[in-house]
Coordinates of all heavy atoms in Angstrom, one line a residue:
M12 N 126.5 -84.0 -65.8 CA 125.7 -83.8 -67.0 C 126.5 -82.9 -67.9 O 127.1 -81.9 -67.5 CB 124.4 -83.2 -66.7 CG 123.7 -82.7 -67.9 SD 122.0 -82.5 -67.8 CE 121.5 -84.1 -68.2
L13 N 126.5 -83.2 -69.2 CA 127.3 -82.4 -70.2 C 126.6 -81.0 -70.3 O 125.4 -80.9 -70.2 CB 127.3 -83.1 -71.5 CG 128.1 -84.4 -71.6 CD1 127.9 -85.0 -72.9 CD2 129.5 -84.1 -71.3
P14 N 127.4 -80.0 -70.6 CA 126.8 -78.6 -70.7 C 125.8 -78.5 -71.8 O 124.9 -77.7 -71.7 CB 128.1 -77.8 -70.9 CG 129.2 -78.5 -70.4 CD 128.9 -79.9 -70.6
L15 N 125.9 -79.3 -72.8 CA 125.0 -79.2 -74.0 C 123.6 -79.6 -73.6 O 122.6 -79.1 -74.2 CB 125.4 -80.1 -75.1 CG 126.8 -79.8 -75.8 CD1 127.2 -80.8 -76.8 CD2 126.7 -78.4 -76.4
G16 N 123.4 -80.4 -72.6 CA 122.1 -80.9 -72.2 C 121.5 -80.2 -71.0 O 120.4 -80.5 -70.6
R17 N 122.3 -79.4 -70.3 CA 121.8 -78.8 -69.0 C 120.6 -77.9 -69.2 O 119.7 -77.9 -68.3 CB 122.9 -78.0 -68.4 CG 123.9 -78.8 -67.7 CD 124.9 -78.0 -67.0 NE 126.1 -78.8 -66.7 CZ 127.3 -78.4 -66.5 NH1 127.5 -77.1 -66.5 NH2 128.3 -79.2 -66.2
H18 N 120.5 -77.2 -70.2 CA 119.4 -76.2 -70.4 C 118.0 -76.9 -70.6 O 117.0 -76.3 -70.4 CB 119.7 -75.2 -71.5 CG 119.6 -75.8 -72.8 ND1 120.7 -76.6 -73.3 CD2 118.7 -75.9 -73.8 CE1 120.4 -77.0 -74.6 NE2 119.2 -76.6 -74.9
R19 N 118.1 -78.2 -71.0 CA 116.8 -78.9 -71.3 C 116.2 -79.6 -70.1 O 115.1 -80.0 -70.1 CB 117.1 -79.9 -72.4 CG 117.2 -79.3 -73.7 CD 117.3 -80.3 -74.8 NE 118.7 -80.6 -75.0 CZ 119.2 -81.6 -75.7 NH1 118.4 -82.5 -76.2 NH2 120.5 -81.7 -75.9
I20 N 117.0 -79.8 -69.0 CA 116.6 -80.6 -67.9 C 115.9 -79.6 -66.9 O 116.5 -78.8 -66.3 CB 117.7 -81.3 -67.2 CG1 118.5 -82.2 -68.2 CG2 117.2 -82.1 -66.0 CD1 117.6 -83.2 -68.9
L21 N 114.6 -79.8 -66.8 CA 113.8 -78.9 -65.9 C 113.6 -79.5 -64.5 O 113.4 -78.8 -63.5 CB 112.5 -78.6 -66.5 CG 112.5 -77.9 -67.9 CD1 111.1 -77.8 -68.5 CD2 113.2 -76.6 -67.8
R22 N 113.7 -80.8 -64.4 CA 113.6 -81.5 -63.1 C 114.8 -82.4 -62.9 O 114.8 -83.6 -63.2 CB 112.3 -82.3 -63.1 CG 111.1 -81.4 -63.2 CD 109.8 -82.1 -62.9 NE 109.4 -82.8 -64.2 CZ 108.3 -83.6 -64.3 NH1 107.6 -83.8 -63.2 NH2 108.0 -84.1 -65.4
P23 N 115.9 -81.8 -62.3 CA 117.1 -82.6 -62.2 C 117.0 -83.8 -61.3 O 117.7 -84.8 -61.5 CB 118.1 -81.6 -61.7 CG 117.4 -80.5 -61.2 CD 116.0 -80.5 -61.9
K24 N 116.1 -83.8 -60.3 CA 116.0 -84.9 -59.3 C 115.4 -86.1 -60.1 O 115.9 -87.2 -59.9 CB 115.1 -84.5 -58.2 CG 115.2 -85.4 -57.0 CD 114.4 -84.8 -55.8 CE 114.8 -85.5 -54.6 NZ 114.1 -84.9 -53.4
L25 N 114.4 -85.9 -60.9 CA 113.8 -86.9 -61.7 C 114.8 -87.5 -62.7 O 114.9 -88.7 -62.9 CB 112.6 -86.4 -62.4 CG 111.7 -87.4 -63.1 CD1 111.2 -88.5 -62.2 CD2 110.6 -86.8 -63.8
W26 N 115.6 -86.6 -63.3 CA 116.7 -87.0 -64.2 C 117.7 -87.9 -63.5 O 118.1 -89.0 -64.1 CB 117.4 -85.8 -64.8 CG 118.5 -86.1 -65.7 CD1 119.8 -86.3 -65.4 CD2 118.4 -86.4 -67.1 NE1 120.5 -86.6 -66.5 CE2 119.7 -86.7 -67.6 CE3 117.3 -86.3 -68.0 CZ2 119.9 -87.0 -68.9 CZ3 117.6 -86.6 -69.3 CH2 118.9 -86.9 -69.8
G27 N 118.0 -87.6 -62.3 CA 119.0 -88.4 -61.5 C 118.4 -89.8 -61.2 O 119.1 -90.8 -61.3
Y28 N 117.1 -89.8 -60.8 CA 116.5 -91.1 -60.6 C 116.5 -92.0 -61.9 O 116.7 -93.2 -61.9 CB 115.1 -91.0 -60.1 CG 115.0 -90.5 -58.6 CD1 114.1 -89.5 -58.2 CD2 115.8 -91.1 -57.7 CE1 114.0 -89.1 -56.9 CE2 115.8 -90.7 -56.4 CZ 114.9 -89.7 -56.0 OH 114.8 -89.3 -54.7
G29 N 116.2 -91.3 -63.0 CA 116.2 -92.0 -64.3 C 117.6 -92.6 -64.6 O 117.7 -93.7 -65.1
Q30 N 118.6 -91.8 -64.3 CA 120.0 -92.3 -64.6 C 120.3 -93.5 -63.7 O 120.9 -94.5 -64.1 CB 121.0 -91.2 -64.2 CG 121.0 -90.1 -65.3 CD 121.8 -90.5 -66.5 OE1 122.7 -91.4 -66.4 NE2 121.5 -90.0 -67.6
L31 N 119.9 -93.4 -62.4 CA 120.2 -94.5 -61.5 C 119.4 -95.8 -61.9 O 120.0 -96.9 -61.9 CB 119.8 -94.1 -60.1 CG 120.1 -95.1 -59.0 CD1 121.6 -95.3 -58.9 CD2 119.6 -94.6 -57.6
I32 N 118.2 -95.7 -62.2 CA 117.4 -96.8 -62.6 C 117.9 -97.4 -63.9 O 118.0 -98.6 -64.2 CB 115.9 -96.5 -62.7 CG1 115.4 -96.2 -61.3 CG2 115.1 -97.5 -63.4 CD1 114.0 -95.6 -61.3
G33 N 118.3 -96.5 -64.8 CA 118.9 -96.9 -66.1 C 120.2 -97.7 -65.9 O 120.5 -98.7 -66.6
A34 N 121.0 -97.3 -65.0 CA 122.3 -98.0 -64.7 C 122.0 -99.4 -64.2 O 122.6 -100.4 -64.6 CB 123.1 -97.3 -63.7
V35 N 121.0 -99.6 -63.3 CA 120.6 -100.9 -62.8 C 120.1 -101.8 -63.9 O 120.4 -102.9 -64.1 CB 119.6 -100.7 -61.6 CG1 119.0 -102.1 -61.3 CG2 120.2 -100.1 -60.4
G36 N 119.2 -101.2 -64.8 CA 118.6 -101.9 -65.9 C 119.7 -102.4 -66.9 O 119.7 -103.5 -67.4
A37 N 120.6 -101.5 -67.2 CA 121.7 -101.8 -68.1 C 122.6 -102.9 -67.6 O 123.1 -103.8 -68.3 CB 122.5 -100.6 -68.5
T38 N 122.8 -102.8 -66.3 CA 123.7 -103.9 -65.6 C 123.0 -105.2 -65.7 O 123.7 -106.2 -66.0 CB 124.0 -103.5 -64.2 OG1 124.6 -102.2 -64.1 CG2 124.8 -104.5 -63.5
L39 N 121.7 -105.3 -65.4 CA 121.0 -106.5 -65.5 C 121.0 -107.1 -66.9 O 121.2 -108.3 -67.2 CB 119.6 -106.4 -65.0 CG 119.3 -106.3 -63.5 CD1 117.8 -106.0 -63.3 CD2 119.7 -107.6 -62.8
W40 N 120.8 -106.2 -67.8 CA 120.7 -106.6 -69.3 C 122.1 -107.1 -69.8 O 122.2 -108.1 -70.4 CB 120.2 -105.4 -70.1 CG 120.1 -105.6 -71.5 CD1 119.6 -106.8 -72.1 CD2 120.4 -104.7 -72.6 NE1 119.6 -106.6 -73.4 CE2 120.1 -105.4 -73.8 CE3 120.9 -103.4 -72.6 CZ2 120.2 -104.7 -75.0 CZ3 121.0 -102.8 -73.8 CH2 120.7 -103.5 -75.0
M41 N 123.1 -106.3 -69.5 CA 124.4 -106.7 -70.1 C 125.2 -107.8 -69.4 O 125.7 -108.7 -70.0 CB 125.3 -105.4 -70.1 CG 124.9 -104.4 -71.1 SD 126.0 -103.0 -71.4 CE 126.7 -102.7 -69.9
F42 N 125.2 -107.7 -68.1 CA 126.1 -108.7 -67.3 C 125.4 -110.0 -67.0 O 126.0 -111.0 -66.8 CB 126.6 -108.0 -66.1 CG 127.5 -106.9 -66.4 CD1 127.3 -105.6 -65.9 CD2 128.7 -107.1 -67.2 CE1 128.1 -104.5 -66.2 CE2 129.5 -106.0 -67.5 CZ 129.3 -104.8 -67.0
L43 N 124.1 -110.0 -66.8 CA 123.4 -111.2 -66.5 C 122.9 -111.9 -67.8 O 122.5 -113.1 -67.7 CB 122.2 -111.0 -65.6 CG 122.5 -110.5 -64.2 CD1 121.3 -110.3 -63.4 CD2 123.4 -111.5 -63.5
G44 N 123.0 -111.3 -68.9 CA 122.7 -111.9 -70.2 C 123.7 -113.0 -70.6 O 123.4 -113.8 -71.5
V45 N 124.9 -113.0 -70.0 CA 125.9 -114.0 -70.5 C 125.8 -115.3 -69.7 O 126.5 -116.2 -70.0 CB 127.3 -113.4 -70.4 CG1 127.4 -112.2 -71.3 CG2 127.6 -113.0 -68.9
F46 N 125.0 -115.3 -68.6 CA 124.9 -116.5 -67.8 C 124.0 -117.6 -68.5 O 123.3 -117.2 -69.5 CB 124.3 -116.2 -66.4 CG 125.3 -115.5 -65.6 CD1 125.0 -114.3 -65.0 CD2 126.6 -116.1 -65.3 CE1 125.9 -113.7 -64.2 CE2 127.5 -115.4 -64.5 CZ 127.2 -114.2 -64.0
P47 N 124.0 -118.8 -68.0 CA 123.1 -119.8 -68.7 C 121.7 -119.5 -68.7 O 121.2 -118.5 -68.1 CB 123.4 -121.1 -67.8 CG 124.6 -120.8 -67.0 CD 124.8 -119.3 -67.0
A48 N 120.9 -120.4 -69.3 CA 119.5 -120.1 -69.6 C 118.6 -120.0 -68.3 O 117.5 -119.5 -68.4 CB 118.9 -121.2 -70.5
R49 N 119.1 -120.4 -67.2 CA 118.2 -120.3 -66.0 C 118.0 -118.8 -65.6 O 117.1 -118.6 -64.8 CB 118.8 -121.1 -64.8 CG 120.1 -120.6 -64.3 CD 120.7 -121.5 -63.2 NE 122.0 -121.0 -62.8 CZ 122.2 -120.2 -61.8 NH1 121.2 -119.9 -61.0 NH2 123.4 -119.9 -61.4
L50 N 118.8 -117.9 -66.0 CA 118.6 -116.5 -65.7 C 118.2 -115.7 -67.0 O 118.4 -114.5 -67.0 CB 119.9 -115.9 -65.2 CG 120.4 -116.4 -63.9 CD1 121.8 -115.9 -63.6 CD2 119.5 -116.1 -62.8
D51 N 117.5 -116.4 -67.9 CA 117.1 -115.7 -69.1 C 116.1 -114.6 -69.0 O 115.9 -113.8 -69.8 CB 116.7 -116.7 -70.2 CG 115.5 -117.5 -69.8 OD1 115.1 -117.4 -68.7 OD2 115.0 -118.2 -70.7
V52 N 115.4 -114.6 -67.8 CA 114.3 -113.6 -67.6 C 114.9 -112.3 -67.1 O 114.4 -111.2 -67.5 CB 113.3 -114.1 -66.6 CG1 112.2 -113.1 -66.3 CG2 112.6 -115.3 -67.2
L53 N 116.0 -112.3 -66.3 CA 116.6 -111.1 -65.8 C 117.1 -110.1 -66.8 O 116.9 -108.9 -66.7 CB 117.6 -111.5 -64.7 CG 117.1 -112.0 -63.4 CD1 118.3 -112.4 -62.5 CD2 116.2 -111.0 -62.7
P54 N 117.8 -110.6 -67.8 CA 118.2 -109.6 -68.9 C 117.1 -108.9 -69.6 O 117.1 -107.8 -69.9 CB 119.0 -110.5 -69.8 CG 119.5 -111.6 -69.1 CD 118.4 -111.9 -68.1
L55 N 116.0 -109.7 -69.8 CA 114.8 -109.1 -70.4 C 114.2 -108.0 -69.5 O 113.8 -106.9 -69.9 CB 113.8 -110.2 -70.7 CG 112.6 -109.7 -71.5 CD1 113.0 -109.2 -72.9 CD2 111.6 -110.9 -71.7
I56 N 114.1 -108.4 -68.2 CA 113.6 -107.4 -67.2 C 114.5 -106.2 -67.2 O 114.0 -105.0 -67.1 CB 113.5 -108.0 -65.8 CG1 112.4 -109.1 -65.8 CG2 113.2 -107.0 -64.7 CD1 112.3 -109.9 -64.6
G57 N 115.8 -106.4 -67.2 CA 116.8 -105.3 -67.2 C 116.6 -104.4 -68.4 O 116.7 -103.2 -68.3
W58 N 116.2 -105.0 -69.6 CA 116.0 -104.2 -70.8 C 114.8 -103.3 -70.6 O 114.8 -102.1 -71.0 CB 115.9 -105.1 -72.0 CG 115.7 -104.3 -73.3 CD1 116.7 -103.7 -74.0 CD2 114.5 -104.1 -74.0 NE1 116.2 -103.1 -75.1 CE2 114.9 -103.3 -75.1 CE3 113.2 -104.4 -73.7 CZ2 113.9 -102.9 -76.0 CZ3 112.3 -104.0 -74.7 CH2 112.6 -103.2 -75.8
F59 N 113.7 -103.9 -70.0 CA 112.5 -103.1 -69.8 C 112.7 -102.0 -68.8 O 112.2 -100.9 -68.9 CB 111.3 -104.0 -69.4 CG 110.7 -104.8 -70.5 CD1 110.7 -106.2 -70.5 CD2 110.2 -104.1 -71.6 CE1 110.2 -106.9 -71.6 CE2 109.7 -104.8 -72.7 CZ 109.6 -106.2 -72.7
V60 N 113.5 -102.3 -67.8 CA 113.8 -101.3 -66.7 C 114.6 -100.1 -67.4 O 114.3 -99.0 -67.1 CB 114.6 -101.9 -65.5 CG1 115.1 -100.8 -64.6 CG2 113.6 -102.8 -64.8
F61 N 115.5 -100.5 -68.2 CA 116.3 -99.5 -68.9 C 115.5 -98.6 -69.8 O 115.6 -97.4 -69.8 CB 117.5 -100.1 -69.7 CG 118.3 -99.1 -70.4 CD1 119.2 -98.3 -69.8 CD2 118.2 -99.0 -71.8 CE1 120.0 -97.4 -70.4 CE2 119.0 -98.1 -72.5 CZ 119.9 -97.3 -71.8
M62 N 114.6 -99.2 -70.5 CA 113.7 -98.4 -71.4 C 112.7 -97.5 -70.6 O 112.4 -96.4 -71.0 CB 112.8 -99.3 -72.3 CG 113.7 -100.0 -73.4 SD 114.4 -98.8 -74.5 CE 116.0 -99.5 -74.8
G63 N 112.3 -98.0 -69.4 CA 111.5 -97.2 -68.5 C 112.3 -96.0 -68.0 O 111.7 -94.9 -67.8
S64 N 113.5 -96.2 -67.7 CA 114.3 -95.1 -67.3 C 114.5 -94.0 -68.3 O 114.6 -92.8 -68.0 CB 115.7 -95.6 -66.8 OG 116.5 -95.9 -67.9
L65 N 114.5 -94.4 -69.6 CA 114.5 -93.4 -70.7 C 113.2 -92.6 -70.7 O 113.3 -91.4 -70.9 CB 114.7 -94.1 -72.0 CG 116.1 -94.7 -72.2 CD1 116.1 -95.4 -73.6 CD2 117.2 -93.8 -72.1
G66 N 112.1 -93.2 -70.3 CA 110.9 -92.5 -70.2 C 110.9 -91.5 -69.0 O 110.4 -90.4 -69.2
L67 N 111.5 -91.9 -67.9 CA 111.7 -90.9 -66.8 C 112.6 -89.7 -67.2 O 112.3 -88.6 -66.8 CB 112.3 -91.6 -65.6 CG 111.5 -92.4 -64.7 CD1 112.3 -93.1 -63.6 CD2 110.4 -91.6 -64.1
Q68 N 113.6 -90.0 -68.0 CA 114.5 -88.9 -68.4 C 113.8 -88.0 -69.4 O 114.0 -86.8 -69.4 CB 115.8 -89.5 -69.0 CG 116.6 -90.1 -67.9 CD 117.8 -90.8 -68.5 OE1 118.0 -90.9 -69.7 NE2 118.6 -91.4 -67.6
M69 N 112.9 -88.6 -70.2 CA 112.1 -87.7 -71.1 C 111.1 -86.8 -70.3 O 110.9 -85.6 -70.6 CB 111.3 -88.5 -72.1 CG 112.1 -89.0 -73.2 SD 111.3 -90.0 -74.5 CE 109.6 -89.8 -74.2
L70 N 110.5 -87.4 -69.2 CA 109.7 -86.6 -68.3 C 110.4 -85.5 -67.6 O 109.9 -84.4 -67.3 CB 109.0 -87.5 -67.3 CG 107.9 -88.4 -67.9 CD1 107.3 -89.3 -66.7 CD2 106.7 -87.6 -68.4
A71 N 111.7 -85.7 -67.3 CA 112.5 -84.7 -66.6 C 112.8 -83.5 -67.5 O 113.1 -82.4 -67.0 CB 113.8 -85.3 -66.2
Q72 N 112.6 -83.6 -68.8 CA 112.8 -82.5 -69.7 C 111.5 -81.7 -69.9 O 111.5 -80.6 -70.5 CB 113.2 -83.0 -71.1 CG 114.6 -83.6 -71.0 CD 115.0 -84.2 -72.3 OE1 114.4 -84.0 -73.4 NE2 116.2 -84.8 -72.3
R73 N 110.4 -82.1 -69.3 CA 109.1 -81.4 -69.4 C 108.9 -80.7 -68.1 O 109.3 -81.2 -67.0 CB 108.0 -82.3 -69.7 CG 108.1 -83.0 -71.0 CD 107.0 -84.0 -71.2 NE 107.0 -84.5 -72.5 CZ 106.2 -84.1 -73.5 NH1 105.3 -83.2 -73.2 NH2 106.2 -84.6 -74.7
P74 N 108.2 -79.6 -68.1 CA 107.9 -78.9 -66.8 C 106.9 -79.7 -66.0 O 106.0 -80.4 -66.5 CB 107.2 -77.6 -67.3 CG 106.8 -77.8 -68.7 CD 107.7 -78.9 -69.2
G75 N 107.0 -79.6 -64.7 CA 106.2 -80.3 -63.8 C 104.8 -79.6 -63.7 O 104.6 -78.5 -64.3
R76 N 103.9 -80.2 -62.9 CA 102.7 -79.6 -62.7 C 102.8 -78.3 -61.8 O 103.6 -78.3 -60.8 CB 101.7 -80.5 -62.0 CG 101.3 -81.7 -62.8 CD 100.3 -82.5 -62.1 NE 99.8 -83.6 -62.9 CZ 98.9 -84.5 -62.5 NH1 98.4 -84.4 -61.3 NH2 98.6 -85.4 -63.3
T77 N 102.1 -77.3 -62.1 CA 102.1 -76.1 -61.3 C 100.7 -75.9 -60.7 O 99.7 -76.2 -61.3 CB 102.4 -74.8 -62.2 OG1 101.5 -74.8 -63.2 CG2 103.8 -74.9 -62.7
P78 N 100.6 -75.5 -59.5 CA 99.3 -75.4 -58.8 C 98.5 -74.3 -59.5 O 99.0 -73.2 -59.9 CB 99.7 -75.0 -57.4 CG 101.1 -74.6 -57.4 CD 101.7 -75.2 -58.6
V79 N 97.2 -74.5 -59.7 CA 96.3 -73.6 -60.3 C 95.9 -72.6 -59.2 O 95.4 -73.1 -58.2 CB 95.1 -74.3 -61.0 CG1 94.1 -73.3 -61.5 CG2 95.6 -75.3 -62.0
P80 N 96.0 -71.3 -59.4 CA 95.6 -70.4 -58.4 C 94.0 -70.4 -58.3 O 93.3 -70.5 -59.3 CB 96.1 -69.0 -58.9 CG 96.3 -69.2 -60.3 CD 96.6 -70.6 -60.6
P81 N 93.5 -70.2 -57.1 CA 92.1 -70.1 -56.9 C 91.5 -68.9 -57.7 O 92.1 -67.9 -57.8 CB 91.8 -70.1 -55.4 CG 93.1 -69.6 -54.9 CD 94.2 -70.0 -55.8
P82 N 90.3 -69.0 -58.2 CA 89.7 -67.9 -58.8 C 89.4 -66.8 -57.9 O 89.1 -67.0 -56.7 CB 88.4 -68.4 -59.4 CG 88.1 -69.7 -58.6 CD 89.4 -70.2 -58.1
T83 N 89.5 -65.6 -58.4 CA 89.3 -64.4 -57.5 C 87.9 -63.8 -57.8 O 87.5 -63.8 -59.0 CB 90.4 -63.3 -57.8 OG1 90.3 -63.0 -59.1 CG2 91.7 -63.8 -57.4
N84 N 87.2 -63.4 -56.8 CA 85.9 -62.7 -57.0 C 86.1 -61.2 -57.1 O 86.2 -60.6 -56.1 CB 85.0 -63.1 -55.9 CG 84.5 -64.5 -55.9 OD1 84.5 -65.1 -57.0 ND2 84.1 -65.1 -54.8
S85 N 86.1 -60.7 -58.3 CA 86.3 -59.3 -58.4 C 85.0 -58.6 -58.6 O 84.9 -57.4 -58.9 CB 87.2 -59.0 -59.6 OG 86.7 -59.5 -60.8
A86 N 83.9 -59.3 -58.5 CA 82.5 -58.7 -58.7 C 82.0 -58.0 -57.5 O 80.9 -57.5 -57.5 CB 81.6 -59.8 -59.1
S87 N 82.7 -58.0 -56.4 CA 82.2 -57.4 -55.1 C 82.4 -55.9 -55.1 O 82.8 -55.1 -55.7 CB 82.8 -58.0 -53.9 OG 84.2 -58.1 -54.0

């Protein structure tokens, strides 16, 4: 990852999954799109997978859920 974007990534594991899924989607979209019409659904699926990976990468820039501490009884 480039140094300019490192400070924004709060969940690097999710970012990596997004990168991996995006590479698969881009491969389906770019390389299978040049084949004849019998494979015309795969490039479209690849485009949707790539767009979904961008959503994962956006989620990686947000903080994850943190557990809520149980309430304390200070009235005793």
Side-chain angles (χ1 to χ4, degrees):
M12 163 160 278
L13 295 173
L15 295 173
R17 282 187 196 156
H18 69 282
R19 286 186 266 167
I20 305 304
L21 301 174
R22 296 188 277 177
K24 196 173 194 180
L25 185 61
W26 178 269
Y28 286 138
Q30 285 282 333
L31 184 63
I32 292 170
V35 170
T38 301
L39 284 174
W40 181 39
M41 290 189 324
F42 295 122
L43 293 180
V45 298
F46 287 126
R49 66 183 176 97
L50 295 175
D51 60 351
V52 176
L53 286 177
L55 186 63
I56 291 172
W58 184 79
F59 284 121
V60 168
F61 180 72
M62 290 298 142
S64 74
L65 293 180
L67 278 178
Q68 291 173 356
M69 283 182 11
L70 287 175
Q72 294 178 6
R73 296 177 174 257
R76 292 184 178 182
T77 56
V79 177
T83 58
N84 289 335
S85 61
S87 50

